[in-house]
């Protein structure tokens, strides 16, 4: 956390702290993740400064909200991310690509219990990641879509989910 809150970071930079919160949530440190997410969401996510790392910051906020089941933060982040749906997540000078924003929109929709919307977003994420030739994120999108299909349980979903997981 000290590195994420370093005094050498610009005051408006929040992506490092957001990433710390997401990692804490995935590591099972829910209280720490909750504290970080509450700090970031205080006053609304729209107040967070737009910068070259804004998009990645919002993406990891969605990851944390999903892990914690925070529907309010997921909904707010989803609304802010929606205009970027067709774009890849490439922080700073595009030194890394984390796939399509559609994946985060799917995760937010799934957190909100909107499984059909999540499936649609994951479908678009999968298509976008394939177009980018981004094999690792294609595999992640396949797994996310498979999980959403399994959760939805419509006719044909189980078979498609199994096929997606096999290819992922």
């Amino acid at each position: 956390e000290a590195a994420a809150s370093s005094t050498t970071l610009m005051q408006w930079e929040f992506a490092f702290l957001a990433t710390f919160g997401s990692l804490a949530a995935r590591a099972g440190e829910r209280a720490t993740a909750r504290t970080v997410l509450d700090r970031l969401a205080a006053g609304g996510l729209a107040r967070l400064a737009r910068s070259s790392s804004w998009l990645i910051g919002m993406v990891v906020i969605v990851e944390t909200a999903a892990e914690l089941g925070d529907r309010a933060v997921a909904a707010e982040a989803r609304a802010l991310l929606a205009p970027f749906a067709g774009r890849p997540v490439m922080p700073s000078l595009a030194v890394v690509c984390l796939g399509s924003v559609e994946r985060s929109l799917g995760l937010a929709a799934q957190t909100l219990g909107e499984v059909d919307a999540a499936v649609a977003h994951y479908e678009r994420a999968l298509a976008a990641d394939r177009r980018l030739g981004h094999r690792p994120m294609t595999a992640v999108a396949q797994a996310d879509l498979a999980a959403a299909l399994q959760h939805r349980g419509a006719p044909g979903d189980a078979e498609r989910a199994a096929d997606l997981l096999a290819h992922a």
Side-chain angles (χ1 to χ4, degrees):
E1 180 178 11
S5 301
S6 171
T7 57
T8 61
L9 292 175
M10 297 292 191
Q11 244 182 336
W12 44 263
E13 180 54 68
F14 70 94
F16 292 102
L17 182 61
T19 301
F20 171 71
S22 179
L23 292 172
R26 287 193 174 258
E29 299 290 334
R30 296 179 68 79
T32 299
R34 177 83 265 159
T35 299
V36 170
L37 192 61
D38 288 348
R39 179 173 159 193
L40 290 167
L45 297 176
R47 70 158 176 68
L48 296 173
R50 300 283 174 117
S51 70
S52 62
S53 61
W54 179 86
L55 192 55
I56 186 63
M58 294 304 296
V59 165
V60 292
I61 284 172
V62 169
E63 297 271 347
T64 307
E67 197 71 30
L68 298 177
D70 190 320
R71 296 169 57 95
V73 171
E76 186 179 2
R78 181 184 184 191
L80 291 168
L81 285 171
F84 302 93
R87 298 192 180 167
V89 180
M90 297 191 309
S92 191
L93 301 173
V95 295
V96 66
C97 179
L98 300 175
S100 173
V101 171
E102 289 285 358
R103 178 180 180 272
S104 296
L105 293 170
L107 191 55
Q110 199 165 354
T111 302
L112 295 168
E114 300 174 15
V115 182
D116 288 334
V119 167
H121 284 298
Y122 290 144
E123 292 274 13
R124 289 190 292 270
L126 179 56
D129 292 336
R130 283 182 174 151
R131 277 192 311 275
L132 289 170
H134 196 323
R135 291 175 31 197
M137 288 310 297
T138 295
V140 169
Q142 287 172 315
D144 288 339
L145 177 56
L149 289 169
Q150 287 171 334
H151 181 74
R152 183 172 72 177
D157 282 355
E159 296 81 10
R160 179 138 186 255
D163 185 55
L164 286 163
L165 287 175
H167 285 93

